[in-house]
Amino acid sequence: MPVIEAFDLYRFYHAKEEETLALRGVSIHVEAGEIVVVMGTSGSGKSTLLNCLAGLDEPDGGYVQLMGKRLTRRPEVERAWLRAAYIGILLQSGNLFGHLSVEDNIRLSMQLAKKVDQTRVKSLIELVNLTKRSLAYPAQLSGGELARAGIAVSLAIDPILLLADEPTGEVDADTEKGIIELFKMRRQARGATLIVTHSNVLATEADRVIRLKDGRVIDE
Ligand code: ADP
Ligand code: MG
């Protein structure tokens, strides 16, 4: 059973007279222990796909299964629980709550999944090299620090599925290497990882690369 599976996803946006066909029949799956990279030019539908896989957005057609359980077309409370329990999500921005420190942001994710582990809070902070900044608030962090803090939050519950939108977009080459190491550790621990990226360095580390163009998968 794949960790996540999407069947024939469609997503349309309507703005006044204009209709954007953001996803036009996308089917993908990620198995345990797999790192899958999604690439495509700006506007090809990558973020829309990720949001549908995370249950943050509802596709207009098709459906998503997470660990064999349907994620789409469910009340938001149920989707929120599935997300909290199974999925680590790293968006392009807005991954941390501004009124909480780095440490408290990580702890909050754990609390939502009923998986608080103070030792893991500390080790995650070490893993992303933020030991000296653990009590800082998001507004006090540099771009690179914020990106690393977001990664720590997304890994808080050691999620069965990690969905990451441009995780290395804002970081230097050394930090990118460190982040890739974290993803590889997930592979060993049999976690499923799906990463939207423009980075060829990241793509060469993937088990599979999926290319999107105009809302469709063009080749694998
Ligand atoms: P990518 O992440 O690959 O750059 P997106 O998934 O963000 O692509 O966008 C796919 C298409 O859908 C683009 O044409 C974008 O302009 C459009 N789109 C995305 N979100 C919205 C929205 N909330 N309302 C209207 N159009 C949107
Ligand atoms: Mg995007």
Side-chain angles (χ1 to χ4, degrees):
M1 178 180 66
V3 171
I4 192 140
E5 204 166 8
F7 298 95
D8 215 14
L9 295 184
Y10 284 80
R11 183 72 176 99
F12 309 137
Y13 293 112
H14 302 272
K16 294 193 180 148
E17 299 293 285
E18 206 163 312
E19 186 174 67
T20 305
L21 310 175
L23 298 177
R24 321 181 192 203
V26 173
S27 297
I28 70 161
H29 63 97
V30 186
E31 306 288 337
E34 230 187 354
I35 298 176
V36 173
V37 154
V38 176
M39 300 186 95
T41 53
S42 175
S44 57
K46 305 180 298 295
S47 295
T48 303
L49 173 63
L50 195 119
N51 286 333
C52 288
L53 295 177
L56 292 169
D57 190 13
E58 190 79 289
D60 296 300
Y63 62 100
V64 176
Q65 299 239 114
L66 174 66
M67 301 296 291
K69 297 187 183 88
R70 188 170 40 79
L71 182 64
T72 35
R73 276 165 255 296
R74 264 182 189 264
E76 171 54 22
V77 278
E78 292 177 21
R79 282 193 289 170
W81 165 246
L82 288 168
R83 267 202 303 276
Y86 296 122
I87 312 180
I89 303 173
L90 185 65
L91 300 175
Q92 284 181 273
S93 63
N95 294 296
L96 283 87
F97 290 101
H99 64 291
L100 296 177
S101 67
V102 172
E103 225 180 83
D104 285 342
N105 266 283
I106 297 172
R107 206 173 289 118
L108 177 65
S109 285
M110 293 176 170
Q111 280 163 350
L112 292 173
K114 301 189 166 59
K115 266 188 165 179
V116 180
D117 177 347
Q118 187 54 33
T119 314
R120 184 169 171 84
V121 173
K122 295 273 180 237
S123 68
L124 275 170
I125 286 173
E126 269 169 40
L127 217 51
V128 297
N129 231 331
L130 284 176
T131 307
K132 291 192 185 119
R133 311 293 282 139
S134 66
L135 297 176
Y137 289 88
Q140 300 169 320
L141 301 177
S142 71
E145 287 172 340
L146 203 54
R148 284 181 278 137
I151 287 177
V153 170
S154 71
L155 294 173
I157 60 161
D158 195 11
I160 289 169
L161 174 66
L162 176 69
L163 299 171
D165 203 346
E166 289 283 353
T168 62
E170 306 290 324
V171 304
D172 59 47
D174 272 350
T175 307
E176 178 168 48
K177 266 192 212 151
I179 292 171
I180 289 173
E181 285 312 310
L182 291 177
F183 292 155
K184 286 188 182 167
M185 283 161 62
R186 289 186 49 76
R187 188 190 270 141
Q188 276 165 7
R190 305 290 294 155
T193 307
L194 183 131
I195 309 161
V196 166
T197 189
H198 290 288
S199 163
N200 289 319
V201 181
L202 235 172
T204 54
E205 300 289 348
D207 298 301
R208 280 189 291 132
V209 176
I210 293 171
R211 286 176 203 284
L212 279 188
K213 187 175 183 230
D214 298 332
R216 291 191 183 94
V217 174
I218 49 172
D219 63 32
E220 254 192 57

